Amino acid sequence: MPAPSVALGLLLGYLADEAWGDPQRGHPVALYGRAADALAQRMWQDEKAAGARFVAVAVGGPTLATLVLERRARGSFGPLGRVAVTAAATWVALGGRSLANEAQVMHDLLDADTDDLSAARVRLGHLCSRDASDLDRDDLARAAVESVAENTSDAVTGPLLWGAVAGPAGIVAYRCANTLDAMVGYRTGRYAQFGWAAARLDDLLNVPPARLTAALTVVAAPLVGGHPHAAWRAWWRD
């Protein structure tokens, strides 16, 4: 169980995301992504060792900075300092509100009364990077559901779980690793070797939240007219 100050911070950060969604300007994750991209260009070599060094700096640096910030906040303000740092890290890392909004937009575009496939194909790019030019209505719906499922683990369950396990530093480490995987974690081209460490770290950190997300989906299935057994079979099959 997380410490009470961490639990309260996680709750406040979650409520902030539900109320306001992602920061509209100067999102810390976007700023981090630009800084990490510049670092990757400087450190790139076509080898796994270079990629591992990059990950150590790009994940370890922000994580260490968060640990220092948390310690100083606790020293100055006691448990409230830890609550504040945890809440801020949670809000920055979560993306549940934005994800739900995108899912609703796709639902509306694919609704039987409107069925705007051309707009839905364009909008799918907000959720994933697959080519949607030849997808029909069912394929678009399937792609949206798959993307929402994956991003629920990445942008909701993962930050909350690692925050409960390791506090704000866990949240930051997870979000950094997840961001690096999206940037360089490809098996082909320039990042086939360099991106290996980022991809493997992201895989490792996502094992617990992915399984937890699937289990929660099974439990919550009746809330949306589904059946736990059918959800379990889909999880086992896939």
Side-chain angles (χ1 to χ4, degrees):
M1 293 293 292
S5 57
V6 171
L8 179 57
L10 292 171
L11 176 61
L12 292 176
Y14 175 82
L15 293 176
D17 178 65
E18 284 292 300
W20 302 307
D22 292 327
Q24 295 301 305
R25 293 184 179 180
H27 196 302
V29 175
L31 297 176
Y32 169 78
R34 288 197 286 271
D37 181 63
L39 180 64
Q41 303 314 311
R42 292 178 62 88
M43 297 185 67
W44 182 88
Q45 295 180 40
D46 192 18
E47 57 183 38
K48 292 180 179 179
R53 291 192 294 269
F54 165 66
V55 169
V57 174
V59 175
T63 303
L64 180 60
T66 304
L67 286 170
V68 172
L69 177 62
E70 180 190 2
R71 178 169 294 184
R72 291 185 175 180
R74 291 174 66 182
S76 300
F77 304 104
L80 288 179
R82 194 180 196 190
V83 170
V85 173
T86 304
T90 303
W91 181 31
V92 166
L94 289 180
R97 171 70 180 272
S98 297
L99 181 61
N101 289 343
E102 287 298 328
Q104 186 62 53
V105 171
M106 285 295 294
H107 172 274
D108 294 342
L109 291 173
L110 295 174
D111 185 86
D113 294 334
T114 57
D115 207 15
D116 192 346
L117 294 187
S118 60
R121 292 186 181 111
V122 173
R123 193 72 187 194
L124 184 65
H126 291 228
L127 286 170
C128 63
S129 58
R130 70 181 66 180
D131 181 9
S133 57
D134 295 327
L135 299 185
D136 61 20
R137 183 176 182 276
D138 289 344
D139 290 334
L140 287 166
R142 185 178 299 111
V145 170
E146 290 170 354
S147 298
V148 168
E150 178 184 0
N151 285 295
T152 296
S153 180
D154 289 349
V156 182
T157 313
L160 292 175
L161 176 60
W162 285 111
V165 170
I171 298 171
V172 170
Y174 175 79
R175 176 51 64 213
C176 288
N178 193 251
T179 303
L180 295 185
D181 177 60
M183 293 171 55
V184 303
Y186 303 105
R187 294 184 178 182
T188 58
R190 178 179 175 86
Y191 297 123
Q193 298 297 316
F194 185 79
W196 178 87
R200 296 291 78 76
L201 177 61
D202 184 67
D203 288 344
L204 179 64
L205 293 179
N206 270 300
V207 169
R211 273 52 178 183
L212 177 58
T213 301
L216 291 173
T217 301
V218 171
V219 173
L223 299 178
V224 292
H227 193 282
H229 181 64
W232 169 264
R233 285 191 290 107
W235 177 15
W236 183 258
R237 180 195 67 206
D238 296 335

mmCIF file with all atom_site columns, all heavy atoms in Angstrom, residues 176-196:
data_model
loop_
_atom_site.group_PDB
_atom_site.id
_atom_site.type_symbol
_atom_site.label_atom_id
_atom_site.label_alt_id
_atom_site.label_comp_id
_atom_site.label_asym_id
_atom_site.label_entity_id
_atom_site.label_seq_id
_atom_site.pdbx_PDB_ins_code
_atom_site.Cartn_x
_atom_site.Cartn_y
_atom_site.Cartn_z
_atom_site.occupancy
_atom_site.B_iso_or_equiv
_atom_site.pdbx_formal_charge
_atom_site.auth_seq_id
_atom_site.auth_comp_id
_atom_site.auth_asym_id
_atom_site.auth_atom_id
_atom_site.pdbx_PDB_model_num
ATOM 1   N N   . CYS A 1 176 ? 8.732  8.751  -18.577 1.00 0.00 ? 176 CYS A N   1
ATOM 2   C CA  . CYS A 1 176 ? 9.913  8.958  -19.418 1.00 0.00 ? 176 CYS A CA  1
ATOM 3   C C   . CYS A 1 176 ? 10.174 7.738  -20.292 1.00 0.00 ? 176 CYS A C   1
ATOM 4   O O   . CYS A 1 176 ? 10.413 7.858  -21.500 1.00 0.00 ? 176 CYS A O   1
ATOM 5   C CB  . CYS A 1 176 ? 11.136 9.256  -18.558 1.00 0.00 ? 176 CYS A CB  1
ATOM 6   S SG  . CYS A 1 176 ? 11.140 10.886 -17.783 1.00 0.00 ? 176 CYS A SG  1
ATOM 7   N N   . ALA A 1 177 ? 10.135 6.543  -19.700 1.00 0.00 ? 177 ALA A N   1
ATOM 8   C CA  . ALA A 1 177 ? 10.376 5.324  -20.458 1.00 0.00 ? 177 ALA A CA  1
ATOM 9   C C   . ALA A 1 177 ? 9.328  5.146  -21.546 1.00 0.00 ? 177 ALA A C   1
ATOM 10  O O   . ALA A 1 177 ? 9.647  4.753  -22.681 1.00 0.00 ? 177 ALA A O   1
ATOM 11  C CB  . ALA A 1 177 ? 10.384 4.114  -19.518 1.00 0.00 ? 177 ALA A CB  1
ATOM 12  N N   . ASN A 1 178 ? 8.091  5.441  -21.224 1.00 0.00 ? 178 ASN A N   1
ATOM 13  C CA  . ASN A 1 178 ? 7.003  5.312  -22.189 1.00 0.00 ? 178 ASN A CA  1
ATOM 14  C C   . ASN A 1 178 ? 7.178  6.284  -23.350 1.00 0.00 ? 178 ASN A C   1
ATOM 15  O O   . ASN A 1 178 ? 6.929  5.945  -24.513 1.00 0.00 ? 178 ASN A O   1
ATOM 16  C CB  . ASN A 1 178 ? 5.675  5.558  -21.470 1.00 0.00 ? 178 ASN A CB  1
ATOM 17  C CG  . ASN A 1 178 ? 4.481  5.142  -22.290 1.00 0.00 ? 178 ASN A CG  1
ATOM 18  O OD1 . ASN A 1 178 ? 3.748  5.982  -22.771 1.00 0.00 ? 178 ASN A OD1 1
ATOM 19  N ND2 . ASN A 1 178 ? 4.269  3.847  -22.433 1.00 0.00 ? 178 ASN A ND2 1
ATOM 20  N N   . THR A 1 179 ? 7.626  7.488  -23.041 1.00 0.00 ? 179 THR A N   1
ATOM 21  C CA  . THR A 1 179 ? 7.853  8.497  -24.074 1.00 0.00 ? 179 THR A CA  1
ATOM 22  C C   . THR A 1 179 ? 9.016  8.108  -24.977 1.00 0.00 ? 179 THR A C   1
ATOM 23  O O   . THR A 1 179 ? 8.942  8.242  -26.205 1.00 0.00 ? 179 THR A O   1
ATOM 24  C CB  . THR A 1 179 ? 8.117  9.863  -23.431 1.00 0.00 ? 179 THR A CB  1
ATOM 25  O OG1 . THR A 1 179 ? 7.011  10.224 -22.588 1.00 0.00 ? 179 THR A OG1 1
ATOM 26  C CG2 . THR A 1 179 ? 8.298  10.950 -24.488 1.00 0.00 ? 179 THR A CG2 1
ATOM 27  N N   . LEU A 1 180 ? 10.099 7.609  -24.387 1.00 0.00 ? 180 LEU A N   1
ATOM 28  C CA  . LEU A 1 180 ? 11.255 7.208  -25.180 1.00 0.00 ? 180 LEU A CA  1
ATOM 29  C C   . LEU A 1 180 ? 10.902 6.057  -26.113 1.00 0.00 ? 180 LEU A C   1
ATOM 30  O O   . LEU A 1 180 ? 11.379 6.003  -27.257 1.00 0.00 ? 180 LEU A O   1
ATOM 31  C CB  . LEU A 1 180 ? 12.413 6.805  -24.271 1.00 0.00 ? 180 LEU A CB  1
ATOM 32  C CG  . LEU A 1 180 ? 13.017 7.899  -23.395 1.00 0.00 ? 180 LEU A CG  1
ATOM 33  C CD1 . LEU A 1 180 ? 14.225 7.353  -22.653 1.00 0.00 ? 180 LEU A CD1 1
ATOM 34  C CD2 . LEU A 1 180 ? 13.401 9.114  -24.213 1.00 0.00 ? 180 LEU A CD2 1
ATOM 35  N N   . ASP A 1 181 ? 10.092 5.124  -25.646 1.00 0.00 ? 181 ASP A N   1
ATOM 36  C CA  . ASP A 1 181 ? 9.689  4.010  -26.503 1.00 0.00 ? 181 ASP A CA  1
ATOM 37  C C   . ASP A 1 181 ? 8.946  4.515  -27.730 1.00 0.00 ? 181 ASP A C   1
ATOM 38  O O   . ASP A 1 181 ? 9.163  4.024  -28.842 1.00 0.00 ? 181 ASP A O   1
ATOM 39  C CB  . ASP A 1 181 ? 8.813  3.038  -25.715 1.00 0.00 ? 181 ASP A CB  1
ATOM 40  C CG  . ASP A 1 181 ? 8.312  1.889  -26.584 1.00 0.00 ? 181 ASP A CG  1
ATOM 41  O OD1 . ASP A 1 181 ? 9.157  1.150  -27.112 1.00 0.00 ? 181 ASP A OD1 1
ATOM 42  O OD2 . ASP A 1 181 ? 7.090  1.749  -26.734 1.00 0.00 ? 181 ASP A OD2 1
ATOM 43  N N   . ALA A 1 182 ? 8.067  5.507  -27.532 1.00 0.00 ? 182 ALA A N   1
ATOM 44  C CA  . ALA A 1 182 ? 7.322  6.067  -28.658 1.00 0.00 ? 182 ALA A CA  1
ATOM 45  C C   . ALA A 1 182 ? 8.237  6.822  -29.619 1.00 0.00 ? 182 ALA A C   1
ATOM 46  O O   . ALA A 1 182 ? 7.934  6.933  -30.811 1.00 0.00 ? 182 ALA A O   1
ATOM 47  C CB  . ALA A 1 182 ? 6.226  6.997  -28.144 1.00 0.00 ? 182 ALA A CB  1
ATOM 48  N N   . MET A 1 183 ? 9.363  7.304  -29.119 1.00 0.00 ? 183 MET A N   1
ATOM 49  C CA  . MET A 1 183 ? 10.281 8.083  -29.945 1.00 0.00 ? 183 MET A CA  1
ATOM 50  C C   . MET A 1 183 ? 11.271 7.211  -30.706 1.00 0.00 ? 183 MET A C   1
ATOM 51  O O   . MET A 1 183 ? 11.500 7.423  -31.907 1.00 0.00 ? 183 MET A O   1
ATOM 52  C CB  . MET A 1 183 ? 11.057 9.079  -29.070 1.00 0.00 ? 183 MET A CB  1
ATOM 53  C CG  . MET A 1 183 ? 10.200 10.174 -28.475 1.00 0.00 ? 183 MET A CG  1
ATOM 54  S SD  . MET A 1 183 ? 11.142 11.139 -27.267 1.00 0.00 ? 183 MET A SD  1
ATOM 55  C CE  . MET A 1 183 ? 12.553 11.640 -28.256 1.00 0.00 ? 183 MET A CE  1
ATOM 56  N N   . VAL A 1 184 ? 11.889 6.266  -30.027 1.00 0.00 ? 184 VAL A N   1
ATOM 57  C CA  . VAL A 1 184 ? 12.999 5.521  -30.644 1.00 0.00 ? 184 VAL A CA  1
ATOM 58  C C   . VAL A 1 184 ? 12.823 4.006  -30.592 1.00 0.00 ? 184 VAL A C   1
ATOM 59  O O   . VAL A 1 184 ? 13.689 3.274  -31.081 1.00 0.00 ? 184 VAL A O   1
ATOM 60  C CB  . VAL A 1 184 ? 14.353 5.882  -29.977 1.00 0.00 ? 184 VAL A CB  1
ATOM 61  C CG1 . VAL A 1 184 ? 14.598 7.377  -30.053 1.00 0.00 ? 184 VAL A CG1 1
ATOM 62  C CG2 . VAL A 1 184 ? 14.399 5.407  -28.519 1.00 0.00 ? 184 VAL A CG2 1
ATOM 63  N N   . GLY A 1 185 ? 11.728 3.509  -30.028 1.00 0.00 ? 185 GLY A N   1
ATOM 64  C CA  . GLY A 1 185 ? 11.575 2.072  -29.826 1.00 0.00 ? 185 GLY A CA  1
ATOM 65  C C   . GLY A 1 185 ? 11.086 1.324  -31.042 1.00 0.00 ? 185 GLY A C   1
ATOM 66  O O   . GLY A 1 185 ? 10.089 0.591  -30.972 1.00 0.00 ? 185 GLY A O   1
ATOM 67  N N   . TYR A 1 186 ? 11.774 1.478  -32.158 1.00 0.00 ? 186 TYR A N   1
ATOM 68  C CA  . TYR A 1 186 ? 11.381 0.818  -33.398 1.00 0.00 ? 186 TYR A CA  1
ATOM 69  C C   . TYR A 1 186 ? 12.400 -0.255 -33.780 1.00 0.00 ? 186 TYR A C   1
ATOM 70  O O   . TYR A 1 186 ? 13.595 -0.098 -33.524 1.00 0.00 ? 186 TYR A O   1
ATOM 71  C CB  . TYR A 1 186 ? 11.257 1.843  -34.536 1.00 0.00 ? 186 TYR A CB  1
ATOM 72  C CG  . TYR A 1 186 ? 10.281 2.949  -34.225 1.00 0.00 ? 186 TYR A CG  1
ATOM 73  C CD1 . TYR A 1 186 ? 10.722 4.230  -33.889 1.00 0.00 ? 186 TYR A CD1 1
ATOM 74  C CD2 . TYR A 1 186 ? 8.914  2.708  -34.251 1.00 0.00 ? 186 TYR A CD2 1
ATOM 75  C CE1 . TYR A 1 186 ? 9.820  5.241  -33.595 1.00 0.00 ? 186 TYR A CE1 1
ATOM 76  C CE2 . TYR A 1 186 ? 8.006  3.716  -33.959 1.00 0.00 ? 186 TYR A CE2 1
ATOM 77  C CZ  . TYR A 1 186 ? 8.466  4.980  -33.636 1.00 0.00 ? 186 TYR A CZ  1
ATOM 78  O OH  . TYR A 1 186 ? 7.573  5.975  -33.340 1.00 0.00 ? 186 TYR A OH  1
ATOM 79  N N   . ARG A 1 187 ? 11.950 -1.302 -34.446 1.00 0.00 ? 187 ARG A N   1
ATOM 80  C CA  . ARG A 1 187 ? 12.835 -2.419 -34.805 1.00 0.00 ? 187 ARG A CA  1
ATOM 81  C C   . ARG A 1 187 ? 13.474 -2.241 -36.180 1.00 0.00 ? 187 ARG A C   1
ATOM 82  O O   . ARG A 1 187 ? 14.241 -3.101 -36.615 1.00 0.00 ? 187 ARG A O   1
ATOM 83  C CB  . ARG A 1 187 ? 12.037 -3.724 -34.780 1.00 0.00 ? 187 ARG A CB  1
ATOM 84  C CG  . ARG A 1 187 ? 11.556 -4.116 -33.394 1.00 0.00 ? 187 ARG A CG  1
ATOM 85  C CD  . ARG A 1 187 ? 10.865 -5.464 -33.430 1.00 0.00 ? 187 ARG A CD  1
ATOM 86  N NE  . ARG A 1 187 ? 10.439 -5.887 -32.107 1.00 0.00 ? 187 ARG A NE  1
ATOM 87  C CZ  . ARG A 1 187 ? 9.841  -7.034 -31.841 1.00 0.00 ? 187 ARG A CZ  1
ATOM 88  N NH1 . ARG A 1 187 ? 9.613  -7.885 -32.840 1.00 0.00 ? 187 ARG A NH1 1
ATOM 89  N NH2 . ARG A 1 187 ? 9.476  -7.343 -30.633 1.00 0.00 ? 187 ARG A NH2 1
ATOM 90  N N   . THR A 1 188 ? 13.144 -1.184 -36.871 1.00 0.00 ? 188 THR A N   1
ATOM 91  C CA  . THR A 1 188 ? 13.674 -0.988 -38.211 1.00 0.00 ? 188 THR A CA  1
ATOM 92  C C   . THR A 1 188 ? 14.334 0.377  -38.328 1.00 0.00 ? 188 THR A C   1
ATOM 93  O O   . THR A 1 188 ? 14.118 1.265  -37.499 1.00 0.00 ? 188 THR A O   1
ATOM 94  C CB  . THR A 1 188 ? 12.561 -1.097 -39.266 1.00 0.00 ? 188 THR A CB  1
ATOM 95  O OG1 . THR A 1 188 ? 11.550 -0.105 -38.978 1.00 0.00 ? 188 THR A OG1 1
ATOM 96  C CG2 . THR A 1 188 ? 11.924 -2.468 -39.251 1.00 0.00 ? 188 THR A CG2 1
ATOM 97  N N   . GLY A 1 189 ? 15.135 0.544  -39.379 1.00 0.00 ? 189 GLY A N   1
ATOM 98  C CA  . GLY A 1 189 ? 15.707 1.843  -39.698 1.00 0.00 ? 189 GLY A CA  1
ATOM 99  C C   . GLY A 1 189 ? 16.733 2.311  -38.693 1.00 0.00 ? 189 GLY A C   1
ATOM 100 O O   . GLY A 1 189 ? 17.484 1.536  -38.103 1.00 0.00 ? 189 GLY A O   1
ATOM 101 N N   . ARG A 1 190 ? 16.738 3.601  -38.459 1.00 0.00 ? 190 ARG A N   1
ATOM 102 C CA  . ARG A 1 190 ? 17.750 4.261  -37.635 1.00 0.00 ? 190 ARG A CA  1
ATOM 103 C C   . ARG A 1 190 ? 17.789 3.746  -36.208 1.00 0.00 ? 190 ARG A C   1
ATOM 104 O O   . ARG A 1 190 ? 18.841 3.734  -35.562 1.00 0.00 ? 190 ARG A O   1
ATOM 105 C CB  . ARG A 1 190 ? 17.479 5.771  -37.654 1.00 0.00 ? 190 ARG A CB  1
ATOM 106 C CG  . ARG A 1 190 ? 18.423 6.618  -36.808 1.00 0.00 ? 190 ARG A CG  1
ATOM 107 C CD  . ARG A 1 190 ? 18.054 8.082  -36.939 1.00 0.00 ? 190 ARG A CD  1
ATOM 108 N NE  . ARG A 1 190 ? 18.847 8.924  -36.054 1.00 0.00 ? 190 ARG A NE  1
ATOM 109 C CZ  . ARG A 1 190 ? 20.044 9.419  -36.340 1.00 0.00 ? 190 ARG A CZ  1
ATOM 110 N NH1 . ARG A 1 190 ? 20.598 9.123  -37.498 1.00 0.00 ? 190 ARG A NH1 1
ATOM 111 N NH2 . ARG A 1 190 ? 20.682 10.197 -35.482 1.00 0.00 ? 190 ARG A NH2 1
ATOM 112 N N   . TYR A 1 191 ? 16.653 3.300  -35.682 1.00 0.00 ? 191 TYR A N   1
ATOM 113 C CA  . TYR A 1 191 ? 16.576 2.965  -34.259 1.00 0.00 ? 191 TYR A CA  1
ATOM 114 C C   . TYR A 1 191 ? 16.525 1.475  -33.974 1.00 0.00 ? 191 TYR A C   1
ATOM 115 O O   . TYR A 1 191 ? 16.232 1.069  -32.844 1.00 0.00 ? 191 TYR A O   1
ATOM 116 C CB  . TYR A 1 191 ? 15.353 3.655  -33.642 1.00 0.00 ? 191 TYR A CB  1
ATOM 117 C CG  . TYR A 1 191 ? 15.451 5.157  -33.701 1.00 0.00 ? 191 TYR A CG  1
ATOM 118 C CD1 . TYR A 1 191 ? 14.461 5.910  -34.333 1.00 0.00 ? 191 TYR A CD1 1
ATOM 119 C CD2 . TYR A 1 191 ? 16.531 5.827  -33.140 1.00 0.00 ? 191 TYR A CD2 1
ATOM 120 C CE1 . TYR A 1 191 ? 14.546 7.288  -34.392 1.00 0.00 ? 191 TYR A CE1 1
ATOM 121 C CE2 . TYR A 1 191 ? 16.624 7.214  -33.201 1.00 0.00 ? 191 TYR A CE2 1
ATOM 122 C CZ  . TYR A 1 191 ? 15.632 7.935  -33.828 1.00 0.00 ? 191 TYR A CZ  1
ATOM 123 O OH  . TYR A 1 191 ? 15.726 9.302  -33.888 1.00 0.00 ? 191 TYR A OH  1
ATOM 124 N N   . ALA A 1 192 ? 16.797 0.636  -34.966 1.00 0.00 ? 192 ALA A N   1
ATOM 125 C CA  . ALA A 1 192 ? 16.732 -0.811 -34.749 1.00 0.00 ? 192 ALA A CA  1
ATOM 126 C C   . ALA A 1 192 ? 17.647 -1.256 -33.619 1.00 0.00 ? 192 ALA A C   1
ATOM 127 O O   . ALA A 1 192 ? 17.278 -2.116 -32.798 1.00 0.00 ? 192 ALA A O   1
ATOM 128 C CB  . ALA A 1 192 ? 17.096 -1.545 -36.038 1.00 0.00 ? 192 ALA A CB  1
ATOM 129 N N   . GLN A 1 193 ? 18.837 -0.692 -33.533 1.00 0.00 ? 193 GLN A N   1
ATOM 130 C CA  . GLN A 1 193 ? 19.781 -1.011 -32.464 1.00 0.00 ? 193 GLN A CA  1
ATOM 131 C C   . GLN A 1 193 ? 19.692 0.007  -31.326 1.00 0.00 ? 193 GLN A C   1
ATOM 132 O O   . GLN A 1 193 ? 19.589 -0.349 -30.150 1.00 0.00 ? 193 GLN A O   1
ATOM 133 C CB  . GLN A 1 193 ? 21.216 -1.053 -33.015 1.00 0.00 ? 193 GLN A CB  1
ATOM 134 C CG  . GLN A 1 193 ? 21.450 -2.112 -34.073 1.00 0.00 ? 193 GLN A CG  1
ATOM 135 C CD  . GLN A 1 193 ? 21.259 -3.519 -33.549 1.00 0.00 ? 193 GLN A CD  1
ATOM 136 O OE1 . GLN A 1 193 ? 21.714 -3.862 -32.461 1.00 0.00 ? 193 GLN A OE1 1
ATOM 137 N NE2 . GLN A 1 193 ? 20.576 -4.349 -34.321 1.00 0.00 ? 193 GLN A NE2 1
ATOM 138 N N   . PHE A 1 194 ? 19.708 1.284  -31.677 1.00 0.00 ? 194 PHE A N   1
ATOM 139 C CA  . PHE A 1 194 ? 19.733 2.351  -30.677 1.00 0.00 ? 194 PHE A CA  1
ATOM 140 C C   . PHE A 1 194 ? 18.480 2.349  -29.801 1.00 0.00 ? 194 PHE A C   1
ATOM 141 O O   . PHE A 1 194 ? 18.537 2.676  -28.610 1.00 0.00 ? 194 PHE A O   1
ATOM 142 C CB  . PHE A 1 194 ? 19.872 3.701  -31.390 1.00 0.00 ? 194 PHE A CB  1
ATOM 143 C CG  . PHE A 1 194 ? 20.029 4.877  -30.474 1.00 0.00 ? 194 PHE A CG  1
ATOM 144 C CD1 . PHE A 1 194 ? 21.248 5.158  -29.880 1.00 0.00 ? 194 PHE A CD1 1
ATOM 145 C CD2 . PHE A 1 194 ? 18.952 5.723  -30.218 1.00 0.00 ? 194 PHE A CD2 1
ATOM 146 C CE1 . PHE A 1 194 ? 21.397 6.255  -29.032 1.00 0.00 ? 194 PHE A CE1 1
ATOM 147 C CE2 . PHE A 1 194 ? 19.086 6.812  -29.382 1.00 0.00 ? 194 PHE A CE2 1
ATOM 148 C CZ  . PHE A 1 194 ? 20.324 7.081  -28.783 1.00 0.00 ? 194 PHE A CZ  1
ATOM 149 N N   . GLY A 1 195 ? 17.344 1.981  -30.370 1.00 0.00 ? 195 GLY A N   1
ATOM 150 C CA  . GLY A 1 195 ? 16.087 2.017  -29.616 1.00 0.00 ? 195 GLY A CA  1
ATOM 151 C C   . GLY A 1 195 ? 15.787 0.766  -28.826 1.00 0.00 ? 195 GLY A C   1
ATOM 152 O O   . GLY A 1 195 ? 14.765 0.693  -28.135 1.00 0.00 ? 195 GLY A O   1
ATOM 153 N N   . TRP A 1 196 ? 16.680 -0.231 -28.901 1.00 0.00 ? 196 TRP A N   1
ATOM 154 C CA  . TRP A 1 196 ? 16.411 -1.508 -28.247 1.00 0.00 ? 196 TRP A CA  1
ATOM 155 C C   . TRP A 1 196 ? 16.207 -1.349 -26.747 1.00 0.00 ? 196 TRP A C   1
ATOM 156 O O   . TRP A 1 196 ? 15.260 -1.896 -26.170 1.00 0.00 ? 196 TRP A O   1
ATOM 157 C CB  . TRP A 1 196 ? 17.572 -2.479 -28.518 1.00 0.00 ? 196 TRP A CB  1
ATOM 158 C CG  . TRP A 1 196 ? 17.419 -3.808 -27.845 1.00 0.00 ? 196 TRP A CG  1
ATOM 159 C CD1 . TRP A 1 196 ? 16.760 -4.889 -28.323 1.00 0.00 ? 196 TRP A CD1 1
ATOM 160 C CD2 . TRP A 1 196 ? 17.924 -4.187 -26.562 1.00 0.00 ? 196 TRP A CD2 1
ATOM 161 N NE1 . TRP A 1 196 ? 16.826 -5.932 -27.431 1.00 0.00 ? 196 TRP A NE1 1
ATOM 162 C CE2 . TRP A 1 196 ? 17.535 -5.524 -26.339 1.00 0.00 ? 196 TRP A CE2 1
ATOM 163 C CE3 . TRP A 1 196 ? 18.679 -3.526 -25.594 1.00 0.00 ? 196 TRP A CE3 1
ATOM 164 C CZ2 . TRP A 1 196 ? 17.864 -6.206 -25.170 1.00 0.00 ? 196 TRP A CZ2 1
ATOM 165 C CZ3 . TRP A 1 196 ? 19.007 -4.207 -24.432 1.00 0.00 ? 196 TRP A CZ3 1
ATOM 166 C CH2 . TRP A 1 196 ? 18.611 -5.521 -24.222 1.00 0.00 ? 196 TRP A CH2 1
#
